[in-house]
């Protein structure tokens, strides 16, 4: 576990530089989850550290495999200075702990909801999990361990989340793209969904 997290943190530092802040949260019955903040180019990037310590397991599996299974960390990128986005640390840790707490397998296309604004005044209580491989490359681990994927989180308004449930993740992403939506704007309003 510690070796995997050391490799993950090394990959983050190599790609994003030194974190300028970090916070740790421990939930009853779970391992510690840290959230690292990297700033630069007018952006704040929040990345979880701890979710990848164990593989995510299908909740219907009779026995959890301690080595095989998907591993991931979550990445949230927002424009700096427009909102108090540092308050997103706890909600991000909650999402990162969900595989341990709820037996979820977090994968691209999934919706994750924290049931409260991601930060004070945010119009978002949920996120869409996007494909990895963009900002931070997947981290290959020695066999039989699966790679660690760095999954971007795209904040969704309640209407966008409801629309996504009906139409699917691809349709919502196409709608955002077609409208030129700045998904890094922490104050953005929802995209038109007519």
């Amino acid at each position: 576990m510690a070796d995997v997290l050391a490799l993950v943190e090394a990959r983050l530092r190599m790609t994003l530089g030194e974190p300028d802040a970090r916070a740790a949260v421990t939930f009853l019955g779970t391992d510690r989850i840290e959230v690292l903040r990297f700033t630069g180019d007018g952006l704040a990037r929040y990345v979880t550290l701890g979710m990848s310590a164990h593989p995510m397991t299908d909740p219907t599996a009779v026995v959890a495999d301690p080595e095989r299974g998907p591993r991931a960390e979550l990445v949230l990128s927002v424009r700096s200075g427009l909102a108090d986005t540092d308050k997103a640390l706890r909600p991000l840790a909650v999402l990162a702990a969900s595989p341990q707490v709820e037996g979820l397998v977090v994968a691209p296309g999934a919706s994750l909801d924290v049931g409260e604004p991601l930060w004070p005044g945010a119009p978002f209580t949920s996120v869409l999990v996007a494909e990895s491989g963009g900002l931070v490359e997947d981290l290959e681990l020695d066999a039989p361990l699966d790679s660690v994927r760095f999954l971007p989180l795209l904040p969704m308004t309640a209407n966008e989340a409801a629309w996504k449930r009906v139409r699917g993740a691809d349709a919502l992403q196409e709608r955002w793209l077609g409208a030129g939506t700045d998904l890094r704007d922490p104050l953005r309003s929802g995209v038109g969904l007519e």
Side-chain angles (χ1 to χ4, degrees):
M1 172 180 119
D3 290 343
V4 170
L5 296 183
L7 292 170
V8 167
E9 186 165 358
R11 170 60 56 91
L12 292 172
R13 288 173 185 270
M14 183 179 73
T15 305
L16 302 174
E18 288 297 314
D20 62 356
R22 67 192 309 145
V25 179
T26 304
F27 302 99
L28 187 63
T30 67
D31 292 331
R32 171 181 155 132
I33 301 287
E34 289 189 87
V35 180
L36 311 181
R37 183 184 70 192
F38 300 87
T39 55
D41 299 326
L43 296 174
R45 300 184 192 280
Y46 302 94
V47 185
T48 63
L49 179 63
M51 183 176 168
S52 62
H54 304 286
M56 292 179 275
T57 305
D58 182 339
T60 62
V62 177
V63 177
D65 189 321
E67 294 184 336
R68 291 183 178 85
R71 294 174 188 260
E73 295 293 352
L74 306 175
V75 182
L76 174 67
S77 299
V78 292
R79 299 214 178 280
S80 296
L82 301 176
D84 190 8
T85 55
D86 282 351
K87 299 286 194 224
L89 298 176
R90 183 165 178 76
L92 283 174
V94 168
L95 296 177
S98 61
Q100 289 183 60
V101 175
E102 300 173 34
L104 293 178
V105 175
V106 177
S111 299
L112 303 174
D113 196 312
V114 293
E116 62 184 39
L118 291 174
W119 52 83
F124 319 107
T125 62
S126 62
V127 294
L128 174 64
V129 181
E131 288 288 341
S132 67
L135 178 64
V136 182
E137 287 184 36
D138 293 351
L139 174 64
E140 299 289 328
L141 300 175
D142 292 336
L145 305 181
D146 287 20
S147 299
V148 176
R149 300 175 74 191
F150 297 90
L151 301 172
L153 300 180
L154 309 175
M156 295 187 291
T157 65
N159 286 343
E160 290 169 342
W163 200 79
K164 182 259 176 194
R165 281 191 295 275
V166 173
R167 304 280 178 95
D170 290 340
L172 179 58
Q173 288 180 304
E174 285 174 23
R175 184 60 63 118
W176 281 334
L177 187 60
T181 305
D182 181 1
L183 296 173
R184 295 176 178 168
D185 181 353
L187 303 175
R188 77 171 179 86
S189 55
V191 70
L193 299 171
E194 302 79 36

